[in-house]
Amino acid sequence: MSEITPAKDGPAVTQATLVKKAAPKSDYKPADVSPQRRVQRSFAVRLWSVRHSRLLEWFYARFADTFLLLHPLWKGIGYGRVEAPVKFVEKRVKGFMFDCRMCGQCILSSTGMSCPMNCPKQLRNGPCGGVRANGNCEVEPDMPCVWVKAWEGSKNMVNGDKILAVQKPVDQSLRETSAWLRVTAQAAAAREAAATPKTGASA
Ligand code: SF4
């Protein structure tokens, strides 16, 4: 349900504004602990990523190819051993760029570089019916709806129509695992399967 309170004169007041106004007044204002400021700052980078979705799509394709080239190295060391350092980097890079929640099943290239796990309802197949008239989320009124942004980002991408693919529900058991390594290992397995001659074919 939308929590916008209509004002008699001027713009509507959001729930976030009401909560801020109702907060007890104090002389102590710790530096940089406002969740609102943190959120707004991360929106800025998140929205930049959506605006540059085509560039990031191009970059990610190169990056994925490079990771796949390194498959023999990952395999030699052991995927289990490289998981911790790769996950450390992935979490920080994607956390900064996309506010990644490390679901482990990345679909950024199908969602205009807008991470669907930032949707408070964690919808993976489009927006709910509660998007506000200004394109913001009904649960977090100050946050642009991730699916509105996903649509905008997809329109800039070469393979933007991937947004039309129906996504599987999130597998929560894959949380906090590396999507980079998973995609690489799966691509390597598919490549090896394609290169292996099929036996038992009928004459
Ligand atoms: S879809 Fe998953 S892995 Fe990709 S950015 Fe979002 S939370 Fe991270």
Side-chain angles (χ1 to χ4, degrees):
M1 289 288 291
S2 171
E3 295 294 335
I4 285 185
T5 304
K8 284 184 187 133
D9 304 305
V13 178
T14 67
Q15 182 68 17
T17 307
L18 294 175
V19 168
K20 198 173 162 191
K21 277 191 180 155
K25 300 285 175 270
S26 155
D27 286 336
Y28 176 48
K29 294 188 176 52
D32 214 22
V33 296
S34 157
Q36 197 55 34
R37 270 206 306 281
R38 275 204 299 268
V39 162
Q40 281 169 353
R41 198 167 53 217
S42 58
F43 286 170
V45 181
R46 185 194 298 184
L47 297 179
W48 182 93
S49 299
V50 169
R51 282 198 304 278
H52 297 84
S53 54
R54 194 183 183 101
L55 171 70
L56 293 175
E57 179 188 35
W58 176 88
F59 179 79
Y60 178 71
R62 295 322 46 88
F63 177 79
D65 288 348
T66 307
F67 240 63
L68 185 54
L69 270 179
L70 294 172
H71 167 70
L73 177 68
W74 309 135
K75 200 172 168 187
I77 300 172
Y79 270 84
R81 285 205 194 93
V82 293
E83 184 182 18
V86 169
K87 202 171 72 178
F88 179 87
V89 175
E90 180 175 349
K91 189 169 185 171
R92 272 140 196 92
V93 171
K94 285 165 65 179
F96 176 71
M97 299 278 302
F98 310 107
D99 295 333
C100 169
R101 307 293 177 99
M102 290 299 280
C103 72
Q105 310 130 79
C106 199
I107 55 168
L108 280 172
S109 31
S110 301
T111 58
M113 299 293 160
S114 173
C115 170
M117 303 311 285
N118 287 304
C119 166
K121 301 176 189 179
Q122 301 203 339
L123 300 178
R124 305 264 286 191
N125 282 296
C128 67
V131 184
R132 292 169 189 259
N134 64 356
N136 282 7
C137 170
E138 75 165 345
V139 180
E140 294 187 34
D142 296 320
M143 180 178 80
C145 167
V146 298
W147 279 102
V148 169
K149 293 292 148 195
W151 186 252
E152 290 173 11
S154 289
K155 284 197 291 186
N156 293 330
M157 292 168 68
V158 175
N159 295 308
D161 54 0
K162 280 163 73 177
I163 197 171
L164 301 175
V166 177
Q167 301 293 338
K168 286 188 277 187
V170 188
D171 180 349
Q172 300 292 350
S173 68
L174 297 178
R175 270 197 179 276
E176 292 297 321
T177 62
S178 170
W180 288 350
L181 287 179
R182 176 165 298 100
V183 168
T184 303
Q186 286 172 348
R191 190 176 58 182
E192 280 159 21
T196 307
K198 288 196 174 62
T199 55
S202 55

